[in-house]
Amino acid sequence: MSRLFPKMVDKLNRIDQLIRMKATGQPHELASRLEISPSTLYEYIEIMRSVLLAPIRYCHIKRSYVYEKDGKLHIGFKNKQQVNRIG
């Protein structure tokens, strides 16, 4: 099995954690912290926005990416019982 997807999921979860803490820093700082290039960071942010529908924006005042709504990224399978509990 390719390690590419699990590595991407790990990075997305880390980005999510830092966004919820409002502690990503500027894009080049976040890319460095994640040990990825700035262009890869922008690709991940775009995946989070367009594929995972995360309401992300960059706040120049906080110098951090933030979510426009309270929430958390969830990547994984949910069984029918879990989905029914959520709504």
Side-chain angles (χ1 to χ4, degrees):
M1 181 172 119
S2 170
R3 283 287 306 146
L4 180 61
F5 187 70
K7 285 181 181 181
M8 178 188 277
V9 170
D10 288 345
K11 299 290 185 192
L12 294 174
N13 283 327
R14 181 70 176 134
I15 294 168
D16 170 65
Q17 179 185 37
L18 291 167
I19 290 173
R20 287 184 286 111
M21 294 170 53
K22 297 177 181 69
T24 65
Q26 296 179 8
H28 69 278
E29 295 169 325
L30 179 56
S32 178
R33 182 181 296 166
L34 296 171
E35 299 179 342
I36 58 176
S37 69
S39 61
T40 299
L41 172 66
Y42 293 127
E43 288 177 22
Y44 286 173
I45 295 293
E46 185 55 32
I47 288 168
M48 292 174 76
R49 284 181 178 141
S50 62
V51 177
L52 302 173
L53 305 177
I56 300 171
R57 69 176 175 84
Y58 183 77
C59 177
H60 292 278
I61 294 169
K62 294 178 182 169
R63 294 185 180 185
S64 179
Y65 286 98
V66 297
Y67 287 131
E68 294 180 337
K69 299 177 183 175
D70 286 338
K72 179 179 180 181
L73 193 66
H74 179 81
I75 303 171
F77 181 81
K78 292 182 182 178
N79 65 37
K80 187 174 181 179
Q81 191 175 31
Q82 291 169 312
V83 170
N84 288 338
R85 273 189 265 148
I86 294 172

